Each structure stands twice: as C-alpha cells, then as structure tokens.
C-alpha cells in the first residue's frame, strides 16, 4: 500500500502525476496547508520539516519527503520514467542532471518569485526584479536545451520532465509568462496533453493560483 500526503501545489502535482503515469495504486491524503494541517503532530511525524508531499510505501517500510527523492524512488521501484543505467547511461544521467537542476534552481527560484510577486505583504521591487530575471534565465536555459530534443533526457519522457512540469503548470496558472521561449512552451504543451498529467494536476484538487 502506498499512501501519498499532499496538497494542490507544484511539488505535490509532481507525485500525483508520477503515480498516475505509473499506474500504481495509492491512497491519497489531502493535507490542507491553508488550514495548517502540515503543522499538526501526525504530519510532522512523517516530515519534521512540515512540507508536502510525503510518500509512505508500507510494503517496503519506506517514508520519504522531498519531491525529487520521491520521484527517484518511484522510478527505481518500477523501472520506469528513468532510462536504464546499463542500456542508456547517457540518457539516465541527463534525466538526473535536469531533475537536480530543477530541485536546486528552477523550483526554488519560481517559488521565491511567487512569494515576492504574489504573497509578500510588502512590495520589494528589488526582490521582484531579481527573481523575474533569474526565472527568465532558467526558462531560457530549458528552452535552449529543448531546442534539439523532445524531452529533457532526450527522446524519452522521464521524472525530469515531471519535476519541471509541476512548476511550469503553476507558472501558466499565475501568468508567469514563458511563451517567448517557444521550445519550452512546445514541451509544456506536449507534457500537458498526456492523460496521466491531466489527471495528476487535479489531485487532490486543481490549483487556482489564489
């Protein structure tokens, strides 16, 4: 039995998309962040940092937080969504490289931009300008890479694509425009059209950008 504790957020959508892509049975627990449920003792026992998502694989006795770690675990568990180390080592390392690029750079940068542009109680023009510039630079990097391949690891769709899509999906919802990056935009539409992705971004509920 797999249990997923999550909310309607870019990091949460990564895991619902992956589980839907893999067809793994799971039980979904909606952790309502706006109501402070991520700070309750029961959830903090699963993740002391108090962030979603958390995946519990009861059959293996494994509990994981951090979306990149969960994506890697699911890929390794199933042998899917990550190229094989023996037959496609270059593609595998491309997938891992772009997964880490997302976890270390793209996700945190867009997250900071969301905070300063949409949720900060004070208008900090310098911070807004900084994170607009940095996210645009990250989008440009992705766009350049995707100019010569359909997916981040090459020909195969992988957990690297799922990780980045979690945030580009939200960027579209809150009007962080990246349409000038035509290769990134085409990749986004290609991923968005996948049936499992369409299901995954509605669980546990669609994001509103509010």
């Amino acid at each position: 039995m797999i249990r997923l504790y999550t909310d309607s957020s870019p990091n949460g959508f990564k895991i619902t998309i992956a589980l839907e892509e893999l067809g793994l049975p799971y039980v979904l627990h909606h952790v309502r962040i706006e109501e402070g449920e991520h700070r309750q003792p029961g959830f903090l026992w699963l993740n002391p940092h108090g962030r979603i998502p958390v995946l519990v694989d009861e059959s293996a006795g494994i509990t994981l937080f951090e979306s990149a770690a969960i994506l890697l675990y699911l890929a390794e568990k199933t042998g899917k969504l990550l190229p094989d180390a023996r037959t496609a080592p270059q593609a595998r390392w491309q997938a891992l490289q772009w997964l880490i690029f997302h976890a270390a750079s793209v996700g945190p940068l867009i997250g900071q931009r969301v905070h300063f542009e949409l949720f900060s109680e004070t208008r900090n023009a310098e911070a807004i300008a900084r994170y607009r510039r940095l996210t645009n630079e990250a989008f440009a990097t992705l766009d350049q890479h995707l100019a010569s391949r359909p997916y981040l690891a090459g020909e195969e769709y992988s957990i690297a694509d799922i990780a980045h899509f979690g945030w580009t999906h939200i960027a579209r919802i809150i009007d962080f425009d990246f349409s000038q990056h035509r290769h990134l935009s085409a990749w986004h539409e290609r991923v968005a059209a996948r049936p499992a992705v369409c299901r995954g971004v509605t669980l546990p509920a669609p994001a509103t950008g509010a």
Side-chain angles (χ1 to χ4, degrees), residues 22-147:
L22 294 167
L24 291 172
Y26 64 100
V27 175
L28 186 66
H29 300 271
H30 192 174
V31 180
R32 293 169 175 83
I33 292 174
E34 288 187 357
E35 298 177 18
E37 293 179 358
H38 61 307
R39 294 300 182 188
Q40 296 302 310
F43 184 77
L44 291 172
W45 185 79
L46 297 171
N47 180 3
H49 193 52
R51 298 288 187 272
I52 61 96
V54 174
L55 184 134
V56 179
D57 187 345
E58 294 179 345
S59 65
I62 289 175
T63 298
L64 288 171
F65 58 89
E66 288 296 333
S67 58
I70 297 171
L71 288 172
L72 278 168
Y73 175 75
L74 292 173
E76 291 289 341
K77 178 182 178 71
T78 61
K80 299 177 180 178
L81 297 176
L82 185 64
D84 187 87
R86 294 164 298 178
T87 60
Q90 183 176 8
R92 181 185 181 86
W93 281 106
Q94 282 294 305
L96 292 173
Q97 170 184 262
W98 289 100
L99 175 67
I100 293 169
F101 177 65
H102 175 80
S105 298
V106 178
L109 289 175
I110 301 177
Q112 289 297 314
R113 182 175 170 183
V114 167
H115 170 75
F116 284 110
E117 284 202 35
L118 302 181
F119 296 116
S120 178
E121 294 181 0
T122 58
R123 188 77 174 170
N124 186 324
E126 182 179 2
I128 291 170
R130 170 180 170 80
Y131 286 107
R132 282 182 180 175
R133 175 178 60 80
L134 291 173
T135 56
N136 284 331
E137 288 176 359
F139 288 151
T141 298
L142 291 167
D143 185 70
Q144 181 181 26
H145 182 68
L146 289 163

